[in-house]
């Protein structure tokens, strides 16, 4: 029996060693599988994060481009509106000022000027004004109203003057 017991102890010891070796192999396989699972999980997480980051970057770039073009278009439209309003307001104010000045000039004009305007129109009035500038009567009377150019009648004095009857036309340069 002692021999049988020795065989049983040896067999039991072999079974224990086999069991311990198997447990150690299972632990190593478990740790290796766990490390692989963690590495796969980390790799999958990196892929997801990279995919999300790439998609977010693409969308942000698209939104940025859209905002950029919208800003450029809005600025251009605003500049066009400001220029149009400025031009329109300037045109309206200039027109109003021009009409107002012309109306004031016509209203302030004497009876002779109004008569010339009525009979000969604006071109005739412009010609009449040119003749009045050419015939500086008061200046001529001060210098040339002496001697034989002076006449007296009924206590009044008259001065005979030369008057221009056509406007002065600037002569063309000869060359």
């Amino acid at each position: 029996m002692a021999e049988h017991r020795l065989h049983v102890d040896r067999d039991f010891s072999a079974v224990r060693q086999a069991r311990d070796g198997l447990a150690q192999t299972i632990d190593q396989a478990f740790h290796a599988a766990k490390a692989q699972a963690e590495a796969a999980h980390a790799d999958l997480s990196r892929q997801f994060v990279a995919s999300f980051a790439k998609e977010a970057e693409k969308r942000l770039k698209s939104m940025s481009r859209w905002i950029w073009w919208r800003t450029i278009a809005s600025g251009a439209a605003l500049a066009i509106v400001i220029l149009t309003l400025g031009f329109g307001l300037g045109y309206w104010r200039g027109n109003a000022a021009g009409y107002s000045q012309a109306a004031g000039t016509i209203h302030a004009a004497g009876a002779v000027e109004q008569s010339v305007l009525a009979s000969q129109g604006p071109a005739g009035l412009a010609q009449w004004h040119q003749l009045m500038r050419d015939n500086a009567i008061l200046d001529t009377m001060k210098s040339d109203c002496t001697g034989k150019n002076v006449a007296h009648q009924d206590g009044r004095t008259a001065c005979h003057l030369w008057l221009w009857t056509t406007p002065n036309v600037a002569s063309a340069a000869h060359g």
Side-chain angles (χ1 to χ4, degrees):
M1 196 123 147
E3 197 174 308
H4 185 42
R5 187 174 175 133
L6 189 61
H7 283 293
V8 169
D9 281 341
R10 209 176 15 180
D11 288 340
F12 192 65
S13 182
V15 168
R16 261 194 212 150
Q17 282 180 347
R19 183 195 70 178
D20 288 344
L22 185 60
Q24 190 177 16
T25 304
I26 289 173
D27 279 347
Q28 287 174 351
F30 176 75
H31 287 299
K34 184 178 176 185
Q36 284 179 344
E38 287 174 355
H41 180 70
D43 188 44
L44 188 59
S45 294
R46 275 193 300 274
Q47 288 177 358
F48 278 143
V49 168
S51 173
F52 292 149
K54 186 186 282 185
E55 185 65 27
E57 181 183 6
K58 192 166 82 174
R59 286 189 183 195
L60 282 174
K61 196 181 282 185
S62 172
M63 287 173 53
S64 174
R65 246 184 265 125
W66 180 78
I67 289 171
W68 173 256
W69 285 113
R70 186 186 69 179
T71 302
I72 295 293
S74 297
L78 183 63
I80 289 170
V81 166
I82 288 172
L83 287 173
T84 303
L85 286 175
F87 178 76
L89 184 62
Y91 180 78
W92 177 76
R93 291 284 294 156
N95 237 4
Y99 284 132
S100 175
Q101 184 180 8
T105 301
I106 290 171
H107 181 69
V112 174
E113 289 175 322
Q114 288 181 5
S115 172
V116 170
L117 180 63
S119 65
Q120 297 177 15
L125 183 60
Q127 187 178 21
W128 184 83
H129 277 229
Q130 184 64 43
L131 286 172
M132 291 301 106
R133 277 192 292 274
D134 290 346
N135 292 309
I137 296 172
L138 291 178
D139 293 338
T140 306
M141 284 174 54
K142 288 177 187 172
S143 63
D144 289 344
C145 202
T146 58
K148 62 181 180 177
N149 289 335
V150 177
H152 299 283
Q153 180 181 0
D154 298 331
R156 297 185 309 162
T157 303
C159 186
H160 300 283
L161 303 173
W162 290 96
L163 296 177
W164 297 104
T165 57
T166 57
N168 184 15
V169 178
S171 61
H174 297 288

